[in-house]
Amino acid sequence: MILIGSTLGIGSSISYKPHFSNSLRTGFYIKAYSKHLCFNGGEDGKKKRVVVVGSGWAGLAAANHLCNQGFDTTVLEPSNNFGGADIHGIRGYWRPYKNIFGLVDELGIAPFTNWTAPAHYSVDGLEVKFPLFQDLPQLPTPLGTLIYPEFPQLPLVDRLTSLPLMAAVIDFDNTDTAWRKYDSITARELFRQFGCSEKLYSSILNPLLQVGLYAPAEQCSAAATLGILYYTILAHQNDFNLVWCRGTAKEMIFQPWIDLLESKGCRFVGSRKITDVTVDDETNCLSDILCGRERYEADAIVFAVGISVLQELIRNSAALYTKEEFVKVLNLRSVDLLTVKLWFDRKVNIPTASNSCSTLDNSFGWSFFNLNAIQDEYKDESVTVLQADFYHAIELLPLNDEAIVEKVKSYLSTCIKDFENAIVVKKEIGRFPESLTHFFPGSYKYMMRGFTSFPNVFMAGDWIINRHGSWSQEKSYVTGLEAANRVVDFLEEGSFAKIVPVEEDEPHVEALRGLNRRIDEIRSQLPFNGFFL
């Protein structure tokens, strides 16, 4: 079995019934393609081979579960950086990340800080200071996120204009119908339609979206906006609390994970750029992954790579170019990331460890993190060690290092004045073009499902369509487990990975969504329904 990617799957105490079971083990694929035709391994007692392409959360999740099920598993990483884009910069791990937290427990590691609450800055200074919601009395959504945060500059009347947006949140239930309904409009248009004030939009909503979805609101899908807002902020009061890695994700999570997999026989091969694939004309299965002159045979394949990497392969592969779902991927886009790690000559008082920020023209979003407060390595340093990540950084990447440092220092000074007199004594700058997913308006129709028209090829990643409801690292991890389950189903060996579902809606949200569905059903029966745009 060949896995493309590096996502691991770990079981939990909650059982999971794959939603694809009717279409796989008892459906189309098994009926149409005999395993004796598709499988290369297993006939003479050899393990069936799975190749996973990619070594981030999605790829390792798939590789982990498949390796545990006894498959001959190989992980191919196009770069030599296992973990891929998932380890660039520092990202938080939100409270709903139940599957990733389960993985960490299974690995027996303790990589995370205590629960923290972030702050948000604009060019005018502090805009929002979020509390530790779990320490406060529980209020029905969205009251907790509206009442408890401190808004030094945003009047109550502006905050109240966010309440009508709950109607869209109720209407958006993560179904295919909901995605198609909201994906065609921008997040800015969504906020305008539901009456958000200009100050709320420019000071809070747009900047937070630039960090959460990596692009300005006028370039973000309203469907993706509703999905991530609900998952990380609105579904439950505690959801916006998060933890951070006490070091880099690579050293704290990925390396122990990879070491464990290698001890179980999983092979990791880096610097292997996928140049083409081979199709068995009789079975329509992919039989080989080609990396230049090297060939990796596979009974099943999991692609767990980013959009830009897959697009390059599609352009160079005649086999993939014949499949509509792969050709549509060429319409998708990725976002540039810039990471800047700075050492200053003095200790600067940074009130909160993690902070999101906006710039004057709002052309990109950024965040900065106090590594002295987050990472064990820097806790006792007498200087300030800080990391800043810039999203949608297309206009920053061409600048030289000195110009970047000057800009970052200027941005930091608008948030915390003491940075004006601090001197940068060391720097580390990383440029990662086209490394983050861009959920632009209209992108949903081009994104792939977890299965493909090749019966033995499956997909995973944060841009893959699924119905779990999670986002970011958690979604990547979950889609990796889903891909592993599809492999298990297709090869008819092993057991399914258990996936912890997203926490259920609060009772009043569930009731409102039920009422909303009934109204939609009645509306669909009316004359001229669907006639107007």
Side-chain angles (χ1 to χ4, degrees):
M1 177 179 294
I2 295 177
L3 299 178
I4 298 177
S6 64
T7 302
L8 295 180
I10 298 294
S12 74
S13 60
I14 298 179
S15 62
Y16 168 70
K17 182 178 180 180
H19 68 273
F20 49 82
S21 59
N22 290 335
S23 63
L24 289 180
R25 183 162 288 174
T26 60
F28 168 76
Y29 291 114
I30 300 305
K31 290 181 180 179
Y33 299 99
S34 166
K35 66 179 180 180
H36 299 294
L37 293 176
C38 287
F39 299 167
N40 296 314
E43 296 178 0
D44 54 0
K46 292 182 179 180
K47 292 181 178 181
K48 292 172 183 175
R49 294 163 292 192
V50 179
V51 173
V52 176
V53 180
S55 64
W57 284 107
L60 286 182
N64 183 73
H65 184 70
L66 293 168
C67 185
N68 288 339
Q69 302 311 303
F71 294 108
D72 181 351
T73 306
T74 300
V75 176
L76 301 180
E77 171 53 50
S79 71
N80 196 32
N81 188 15
F82 290 102
D86 290 311
I87 62 174
H88 297 332
I90 299 180
R91 297 186 193 175
Y93 297 80
W94 273 255
R95 179 180 171 272
Y97 286 17
K98 299 295 179 60
N99 290 281
I100 286 181
F101 293 144
L103 164 69
V104 167
D105 292 341
E106 190 79 13
L107 294 176
I109 58 178
F112 297 131
T113 64
N114 295 325
W115 293 105
T116 65
H120 172 66
Y121 291 85
S122 72
V123 292
D124 297 320
L126 180 65
E127 290 284 354
V128 190
K129 188 178 187 304
F130 294 96
L132 279 175
F133 287 106
Q134 62 193 29
D135 295 340
L136 299 169
Q138 300 296 299
L139 298 177
T141 187
L143 297 180
T145 52
L146 179 68
I147 295 173
Y148 289 138
E150 298 176 21
F151 295 89
Q153 304 186 64
L154 190 69
L156 176 61
V157 64
D158 289 278
R159 305 203 300 271
L160 291 175
T161 64
S162 66
L163 288 177
L165 190 63
M166 276 302 295
V169 171
I170 295 297
D171 191 39
F172 183 83
D173 57 1
N174 200 44
T175 60
D176 183 73
T177 300
W179 269 90
R180 293 185 183 280
K181 177 178 180 179
Y182 286 96
D183 187 60
S184 60
I185 63 173
T186 69
R188 187 184 189 283
E189 179 63 15
L190 175 76
F191 296 141
R192 189 196 67 80
Q193 286 182 7
F194 285 88
C196 294
S197 74
E198 173 60 31
K199 187 170 180 59
L200 174 66
Y201 171 79
S202 60
S203 300
I204 308 295
L205 295 176
N206 187 30
L208 287 179
L209 205 58
Q210 286 180 299
V211 174
L213 289 178
Y214 315 127
E218 67 269 18
Q219 298 181 36
C220 290
S221 155
T225 299
L226 290 169
I228 195 170
L229 281 178
Y230 188 67
Y231 179 68
T232 60
I233 300 178
L234 296 176
H236 307 91
Q237 181 178 296
N238 296 346
D239 286 348
F240 200 51
N241 292 150
L242 65 168
V243 295
W244 304 88
C245 252
R246 295 184 295 103
T248 66
K250 181 173 185 178
E251 66 187 9
M252 300 294 292
I253 301 176
F254 283 93
Q255 196 56 59
W257 198 4
I258 290 171
D259 291 343
L260 177 63
L261 285 174
E262 287 182 326
S263 72
K264 295 179 178 180
C266 183
R267 290 183 299 278
F268 288 83
V269 186
S271 300
R272 291 301 187 273
K273 183 178 179 181
I274 314 301
T275 54
D276 207 346
V277 296
T278 302
V279 180
D280 186 317
D281 292 333
E282 292 185 11
T283 65
N284 193 37
C285 290
L286 292 192
S287 58
D288 302 278
I289 296 288
L290 304 179
C291 302
R293 295 183 179 180
E294 295 182 6
R295 180 185 300 269
Y296 295 86
E297 295 182 352
D299 297 302
I301 298 170
V302 175
F303 282 100
V305 292
I307 290 170
S308 60
V309 174
L310 185 61
Q311 286 175 331
E312 184 177 4
L313 174 58
I314 293 169
R315 293 187 184 100
N316 295 327
S317 173
L320 296 183
Y321 217 89
T322 63
K323 301 296 184 180
E324 182 181 7
E325 74 266 32
F326 284 95
V327 175
K328 285 184 178 296
V329 172
L330 298 178
N331 291 288
L332 297 175
R333 307 170 201 156
S334 302
V335 176
D336 300 331
L337 171 69
L338 174 73
T339 66
V340 183
K341 188 174 181 180
L342 300 176
W343 284 255
F344 291 87
D345 65 340
R346 67 197 68 184
K347 266 291 179 63
V348 176
N349 180 35
I350 304 175
T352 51
S354 60
N355 308 272
S356 61
C357 314
S358 60
T359 56
L360 184 61
D361 59 359
N362 277 323
S363 58
F364 54 84
W366 66 289
S367 53
F368 71 93
F369 311 92
N370 180 6
L371 299 190
N372 298 98
I374 294 174
Q375 296 190 358
D376 294 346
E377 180 181 357
Y378 304 112
K379 283 188 180 298
D380 298 324
E381 289 281 351
S382 59
V383 299
T384 298
V385 186
L386 175 147
Q387 178 159 330
D389 294 341
F390 294 82
Y391 318 97
H392 198 257
I394 187 170
E395 62 187 67
L396 298 178
L397 260 58
L399 301 179
N400 61 40
D401 288 359
E402 289 71 23
I404 288 174
V405 170
E406 184 178 347
K407 276 185 173 291
V408 174
K409 190 169 179 290
S410 173
Y411 294 146
L412 288 169
S413 299
T414 64
C415 303
I416 299 174
K417 296 297 182 184
D418 288 349
F419 277 111
E420 291 179 352
N421 300 318
I423 298 173
V424 176
V425 295
K426 183 179 177 181
K427 64 180 182 297
E428 290 180 5
I429 296 176
R431 296 172 175 84
F432 305 100
E434 298 183 329
S435 60
L436 302 173
T437 302
H438 186 189
F439 295 91
F440 62 89
S443 59
Y444 179 77
K445 60 180 174 288
Y446 304 123
M447 292 184 175
M448 297 186 72
R449 270 66 177 172
F451 53 87
T452 71
S453 54
F454 296 111
N456 69 331
V457 176
F458 309 99
M459 310 298 299
D462 73 342
W463 61 278
I464 300 302
I465 294 173
N466 77 342
R467 298 299 164 216
H468 183 262
S470 51
W471 277 86
S472 196
Q473 306 103 308
E474 177 81 349
K475 181 181 178 182
S476 293
Y477 183 83
V478 167
T479 58
L481 295 184
E482 290 176 340
N485 285 343
R486 289 184 169 98
V487 170
V488 166
D489 202 67
F490 174 71
L491 296 179
E492 298 183 292
E493 287 187 10
S495 59
F496 292 124
K498 297 174 183 177
I499 300 175
V500 182
V502 172
E503 188 176 350
E504 293 182 355
D505 294 331
E506 293 181 359
H508 68 289
V509 173
E510 184 177 359
L512 288 171
R513 281 186 165 163
L515 176 61
N516 185 66
R517 292 189 191 100
R518 289 192 289 274
I519 292 173
D520 284 343
E521 290 171 0
I522 294 171
R523 185 185 296 119
S524 67
Q525 305 302 317
L526 298 176
F528 300 106
N529 178 66
F531 178 77
F532 296 101
L533 180 64

